């Protein structure tokens, strides 16, 4: 079993590459849920959906979220009714959120709802929300607190960030299968997702980080930064707000207690000495994933570092 920790867009690219190289039934994907939101009474799980759609071949790869070719007729009607429509739910995507919300209302857990959705979409990999309990990323700005999606989508990460915390995380428990997937992993991969708001909430669920520290098999991370800039999204801004050095070295330090190896950009080769001092082996390569070939090549490089999965 290969266990992967991921957020949405960046992680989905590497997972798409991995899906071409390994049997999907051998993949357990532990997903961030702290970006989840309730919109129009529906439970939306952006990262779970991005990963599920990617593996189902339904993802809009250009946007990095949602269903390819989706239409937005329902959203347009919601706008006419006077609702805010900055978070763009497509018509087909809506069916996923309706299904999840109905299942949750009927008493299913988020893991059970996620399994039902991925089975319906024919996805063979196991997709695990990190927790069935509600965890919510809160962004602290000089003008007060906002949710992650208000910061990320509505405000296009323009607001100054004074801090980030995960409401509810202290009381949360790992979802069924999460700790088992870590303990029984032949290897663990940490995707090039935002270390603060994508991987951060996963590591903050009590028991997850401790389980990762105990893993004796290889743990490989991929940096989401090139130089001081995130490949996509607000990782650099959020890392700075948390006092984390905005570089691949800062990422390595954030994971140094459990990661063995980190793939960094060739441009960051100069950081190798400082990363090695943290006890993390740096491997410089091309970490950009524009094309399907890039995704597959990077996945192969990660798998080569892991070696044979006994
Ligand atoms: N991201 C955007 O930038 N704009 C959107 O309108 C938007 C809508 C959306 C709808 C469903 C969904 O599953 C994801 C969506 N995302 C959108 C992506 C999402 O906000 C982020 O990619 C993740 O939360 C970060 O990992």
């Amino acid at each position: 079993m290969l266990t992967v920790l991921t957020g949405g867009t960046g992680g989905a690219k590497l997972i798409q590459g991995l899906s071409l190289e390994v049997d999907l039934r051998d993949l357990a994907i532990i997903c961030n849920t702290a970006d989840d939101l309730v919109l129009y009474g529906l439970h939306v799980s952006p990262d779970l959906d991005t990963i599920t759609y990617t593996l189902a071949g339904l993802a809009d790869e250009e946007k990095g979220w949602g269903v390819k070719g989706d239409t937005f007729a329902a959203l347009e009607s919601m706008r006419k009714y006077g609702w805010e429509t900055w978070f763009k739910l497509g018509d087909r995507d809506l069916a996923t959120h309706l299904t999840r919300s109905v299942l949750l209302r009927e008493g299913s857990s988020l893991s059970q709802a996620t399994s039902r959705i991925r089975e319906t979409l024919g996805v063979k990999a196991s997709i695990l929300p990190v927790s069935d309990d509600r965890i919510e990323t809160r962004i602290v700005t000089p003008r007060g607190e906002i949710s992650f999606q208000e910061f990320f989508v509505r405000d296009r990460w323009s607001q100054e960030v004074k801090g980030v915390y995960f409401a509810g995380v202290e009381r949360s428990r790992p979802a069924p299968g999460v700790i088992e997937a870590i303990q029984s992993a032949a290897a663990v991969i940490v995707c090039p997702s935002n270390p603060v708001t994508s991987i951060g909430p996963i590591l903050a669920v009590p028991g997850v980080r401790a389980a990762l520290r105990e893993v004796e098999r290889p743990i490989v991370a991929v940096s989401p930064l090139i130089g001081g800039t995130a490949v996509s999204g607000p990782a650099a801004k959020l890392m700075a707000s948390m006092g984390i050095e905005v570089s691949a070295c800062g990422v390595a330090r954030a994971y140094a207690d459990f990661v063995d190896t980190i793939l960094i950009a060739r441009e960051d080769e100069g950081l190798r000495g400082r990363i090695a001092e943290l006890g993390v082996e740096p491997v410089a390569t091309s970490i950009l994933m524009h094309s399907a070939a890039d995704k597959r090549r990077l996945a192969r490089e990660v798998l080569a570092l892991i070696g044979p999965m006994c």
Side-chain angles (χ1 to χ4, degrees), residues 8-9 35 46-47 65 86-89 93 149 152-153 156:
T9 317
D35 294 3
D47 290 356
W65 49 269
W86 49 262
F87 197 79
K88 305 270 178 266
L89 294 185
D93 192 25
Q149 299 299 349
F152 184 70
V153 176
R156 286 275 142 226

Side-chain angles (χ1 to χ4, degrees), residues 7-8 12 31-32 36 43-56 58-59 64-67 89 93-94 96-97 100 110 113-114 117-118 121 127:
C31 231
N32 172 42
D36 288 17
H43 186 116
V44 182
S45 294
D47 290 356
L48 286 170
D49 292 343
T50 299
I51 301 304
T52 308
Y53 293 153
T54 297
L55 291 175
L58 296 173
W65 49 269
V67 176
L89 294 185
D93 192 25
L94 211 47
T96 305
H97 313 312
R100 177 185 298 112
L110 183 59
T114 303
I117 291 164
R118 70 132 178 112
L121 297 181
I127 301 179

